[in-house]
Amino acid sequence: MEAWCRRSAAFDCMPQPAAYCPDWMAGLPDALPLSRLSIPGTHDSLSLFGGQRLRCQSWGLEAQLAAGIRFLDVRCKLARGELHIYHLCTFQRASLRGVLRRTLRFLRAHPSEAVLMRIKEELPIFPRPSFAARLHRCLLEEGRGRVWCREEVPTLGQVRGKIVVLEALARAVLGIPYERLSISDAWNVLSLERKWAQARRHLERAASGDPAIMHLTFCSGNGLFTCPEEVARFVNPRCYQHLRRLRGQSVRWGVIIMDFPGAGLLRLIVESNAPWASGHITAAPKTPTASPRHPYGRGDRRCSQHSSAHCPRKRPSGQTLRPAPRLCRRTSAPVQQKRVSCSCQKLGSLRVTTV
């Protein structure tokens, strides 16, 4: 009974996932833009420590990737010259370098896959100017040409075997600007019913919205009178039922970001991509670009005093990151930086173990 309460089709807080689908992107066409995919992801992906109030996941990084997770939410703090993984003020016993190495190791073993990685500075009182420079150096040294750091949304063929960076930096462009995407992240939960209503509306918007724009729906949350696990126990089953009602139809859900996702929920997200693999959708996808820049900043929801920065564009896919000089958004002066086997062949075939 205790194990059943900890694992269902929609919710799973056991140490190892029941889902196993490490190669679900293999059957999808190279020309498919990432913005047209339904992608399962985790919120605060490395938050394994800190007790019930802070813990958001029960699976380690490798287990998440093997289960089919393709969006990682990575929160960093700059400490002693290195980027360490934190949730609020709790160190998660990992570094960004380690996360990049482990993710790229998975991608070497599963070259058909691509992993989206949102990288942000965790709760800075004042954003540290050196954070972007350190992040850029880390991506250069660990990525070695296998990290997508351009602003435009790529096709799957351009980023197979690579990490696609999503970032929200104030003065530098090191990936797809996070704030230009369509995002629902009502993380401060006062009402569980209202939280799910907000997530459901954004899922519906993703299903009917512009396929050239990436949609990210956070089903996760926390609050004064609740915790991540409680939110997941309430929202995940409702998300599962919502997706299940349209199972078998051609629906783009975008990136669905969860705490403690269950195998059945992961399966529904992955299987919604099946029409692309089966050829039921014949319209040639249009290669998308990020949505237009707001005249006063990087996105339409937050204004900035910084002008747009020079960023690497239209580079060959094999040279997605290189130590070229970049310009400060405020001054347009150069920024000085130091150079720094498939067990799931068919799309949607998630193996669910019995426990």
Side-chain angles (χ1 to χ4, degrees):
M1 176 63 75
E2 181 182 357
W4 180 87
C5 294
R6 297 178 64 190
R7 173 173 286 166
S8 68
F11 175 88
D12 190 345
C13 66
M14 298 288 281
Q16 293 295 324
Y20 184 73
C21 191
D23 302 286
W24 65 264
M25 290 178 166
L28 297 174
D30 283 348
L32 191 62
L34 293 189
S35 60
R36 292 209 172 199
L37 289 175
S38 299
I39 298 175
T42 49
H43 152 259
D44 228 318
S45 304
L46 281 299
S47 182
L48 302 170
F49 308 101
Q52 190 176 34
R53 297 295 304 174
L54 290 181
R55 192 172 73 112
C56 299
Q57 309 301 331
S58 61
W59 309 336
L61 176 60
E62 288 80 4
Q64 291 184 38
L65 294 171
I69 296 296
R70 294 295 177 268
F71 172 93
L72 300 174
D73 180 22
V74 180
R75 319 287 183 93
C76 306
K77 284 188 178 182
L78 183 58
R80 298 179 298 279
E82 287 296 332
L83 294 171
H84 297 282
I85 309 301
Y86 274 81
H87 185 189
L88 298 180
C89 295
T90 301
F91 177 50
Q92 296 301 318
R93 309 178 193 179
S95 68
L96 179 60
R97 287 183 181 275
V99 171
L100 292 172
R101 289 172 186 170
R102 292 157 64 190
T103 303
L104 290 171
R105 187 182 306 128
F106 170 84
L107 290 171
R108 281 193 293 271
H110 305 276
S112 65
E113 308 303 291
V115 175
L116 283 71
M117 185 178 293
R118 178 202 181 193
I119 303 176
K120 71 180 291 282
E121 188 174 6
E122 178 70 345
L123 284 182
I125 299 176
F126 301 102
R128 302 184 65 173
S130 55
F131 181 86
R134 182 60 61 175
L135 174 57
H136 183 252
R137 178 177 176 178
C138 187
L139 292 173
L140 280 172
E141 293 178 345
E142 300 299 336
R144 300 184 182 278
R146 300 179 62 215
V147 178
W148 178 272
C149 289
R150 294 165 62 176
E151 287 192 70
E152 61 265 26
V153 177
T155 63
L156 182 56
Q158 289 177 299
V159 293
R160 289 193 193 274
K162 296 180 181 180
I163 295 171
V164 180
V165 176
L166 285 67
E167 52 80 13
L169 299 172
R171 303 188 184 187
V173 175
L174 298 180
I176 300 172
Y178 184 75
E179 293 174 1
R180 293 196 220 166
L181 310 178
S182 177
I183 301 168
S184 173
D185 185 9
W187 63 269
N188 189 12
V189 178
L190 300 177
S191 163
L192 293 172
E193 290 83 1
R194 187 178 303 131
K195 168 63 187 179
W196 164 238
Q198 292 168 324
R200 186 188 66 245
R201 284 195 298 269
H202 198 260
L203 288 172
E204 293 168 351
R205 187 178 307 147
S208 60
D210 186 348
I213 297 176
M214 292 185 69
H215 289 69
L216 279 64
T217 304
F218 282 82
C219 293
S220 56
N222 206 342
L224 183 61
F225 303 108
T226 187
C227 65
E229 182 176 328
E230 185 177 351
V231 173
R233 286 184 180 275
F234 184 90
V235 174
N236 288 9
R238 285 156 179 79
C239 184
Y240 175 80
Q241 293 299 332
H242 181 72
L243 271 59
R244 191 178 183 185
R245 282 194 291 270
L246 296 176
R247 187 176 190 176
Q249 300 184 31
S250 175
V251 182
R252 185 277 303 258
W253 298 114
V255 184
I256 303 180
I257 303 159
M258 304 157 284
D259 289 338
F260 306 107
L265 182 51
L266 293 177
R267 179 191 295 116
L268 287 175
I269 298 170
V270 167
E271 286 180 348
S272 66
N273 296 297
W276 290 111
S278 62
H280 293 167
I281 301 175
T282 58
K286 179 181 178 181
T287 302
T289 58
S291 56
R293 188 183 297 273
H294 189 274
Y296 300 112
R298 297 188 56 177
D300 58 357
R301 295 185 301 170
R302 183 179 301 177
C303 294
S304 171
Q305 297 177 353
H306 308 302
S307 61
S308 68
H310 168 80
C311 63
R313 288 190 178 92
K314 299 182 180 178
R315 292 181 298 200
S317 59
Q319 300 175 359
T320 55
L321 184 66
R322 59 188 179 189
R326 296 175 296 109
L327 302 183
C328 173
R329 292 191 177 222
R330 181 185 295 274
T331 65
S332 295
V335 178
Q336 298 298 324
Q337 294 188 1
K338 185 177 179 180
R339 291 176 65 93
V340 260
S341 65
C342 294
S343 57
C344 180
Q345 295 289 345
K346 187 177 179 181
L347 176 68
S349 58
L350 278 168
R351 186 182 74 195
V352 180
T353 60
T354 56
V355 294

